Amino acid sequence: MNRIDLNCDLGESFGAWHMGEDAALLALVSSANVACGFHAGDPAIMQRTVALAVERGVAIGAHVSLPDLQGFGRREMAVTPAEVHAMTLYQLGALHAFARAAGATVAHVKPHGALYHMAARDRALAAAIADAVRAFDPALALFGLAGSVLLEAGRAAGLRVVSEAFADRRYRADGSLQPRREPDAVIDDADTATAQALRMAQHGEVIAVDGQRVALTADTLCLHGDGAHAVDFARRLRAALEAAGLRIAAPAAA
């Protein structure tokens, strides 16, 4: 592999409440997952985030979520596949309006938080998301956890899928992410997170919490934009990847 995508969840402020340093991060990543109002974001913030992404030449993606502003989309909800299908279309349509008004297009879709993890293991919910994406625009790419059923559903729907890995999250031996509620699920040390990202990008593997080597495909690496040192880490990680001979670029269009 001589290229890797860096994606970041952005546009996650809400009204007067500020989250992340979007402008600085957009100078460092190649894909932006823009909150669509269900877990974070509002119309003005969506519009501003899209404009910044267009200015920086960053690919725009819809970060679709369960409707959970209070819980930041990280709480699981009892939703049906039909509801998830409708939620996905609704949020995609909202972001598409801002992208079109800015002379841009939506390039990909990535579920957020609890919906991401639910769709990684639940085939019916995964299929609902994939079918909604295909119904909206079959040229869109679907981002999902490497090795998950969401990517299987995307392939079955004829979509281009992008396998995602996380620089700053611990993995279990089955390839799933260690839940945030558990101790040390998030890697706070920049050196450790950078080393893990390089291992995934260059060698297609990660060391699980039990010490096992787990194979995974990393087409894109996710950077979390809400940490205290998110910009510094993003700058450091990008420099390390480029020093290793990797070109930072959004996934190629079909």
Side-chain angles (χ1 to χ4, degrees):
M1 180 187 295
N2 61 3
R3 62 184 287 165
I4 189 79
D5 179 47
L6 285 183
N7 79 78
C8 190
D9 304 342
L10 299 169
E12 293 184 321
S13 298
F14 182 78
W17 181 70
H18 179 76
M19 167 73 86
E21 302 300 328
D22 289 0
L25 286 163
L26 280 165
L28 298 165
V29 301
S30 42
S31 292
N33 315 309
V34 182
C36 299
F38 271 35
H39 76 281
D42 60 38
I45 289 166
M46 290 174 70
Q47 185 177 47
R48 183 165 63 247
T49 307
V50 165
L52 284 170
V54 171
E55 181 183 316
R56 297 296 173 90
V58 173
I60 298 166
H63 204 27
V64 300
S65 172
L66 296 173
D68 181 23
L69 281 172
Q70 290 90 341
F72 198 64
R74 287 180 176 162
R75 301 181 295 191
E76 293 198 0
M77 299 172 64
V79 289
T80 66
E83 288 172 324
V84 168
H85 187 279
M87 290 175 194
T88 302
L89 276 176
Y90 184 95
Q91 293 173 82
L92 252 172
L95 187 65
H96 169 71
F98 290 113
R100 180 171 178 176
T105 58
V106 176
H108 68 273
V109 177
K110 174 186 165 181
H112 165 80
L115 183 60
Y116 183 93
H117 296 292
M118 292 163 69
R121 63 178 187 269
D122 186 312
R123 293 186 183 278
L125 296 183
I129 293 171
D131 289 346
V133 173
R134 180 182 59 188
F136 184 85
D137 183 355
L140 291 175
L142 179 61
F143 283 32
L145 183 67
S148 68
V149 300
L150 178 58
L151 296 188
E152 293 177 16
R155 293 187 189 97
L159 298 173
R160 183 165 49 96
V161 299
V162 178
S163 297
E164 182 176 44
F166 291 80
D168 62 353
R169 293 291 303 276
R170 301 286 186 188
Y171 281 78
R172 289 175 164 173
D174 64 357
S176 65
L177 297 176
Q178 184 179 0
R180 282 179 176 267
R181 64 179 178 272
E182 297 180 4
D184 301 320
V186 177
I187 301 172
D188 294 319
D189 180 71
D191 289 336
T192 303
T194 299
Q196 174 166 290
L198 286 170
R199 178 184 289 272
M200 294 187 293
Q202 292 182 298
H203 305 295
E205 67 175 22
V206 66
I207 304 300
V209 291
D210 65 356
Q212 291 189 57
R213 294 182 178 223
V214 179
L216 58 75
T217 299
D219 300 319
T220 185
L221 292 171
C222 178
L223 298 171
H224 289 108
D226 55 352
H229 307 291
V231 176
D232 287 341
F233 174 61
R235 187 176 294 115
R236 186 170 179 172
L237 177 57
R238 178 169 183 136
L241 291 168
E242 290 178 331
L246 294 163
R247 182 168 64 91
I248 310 302

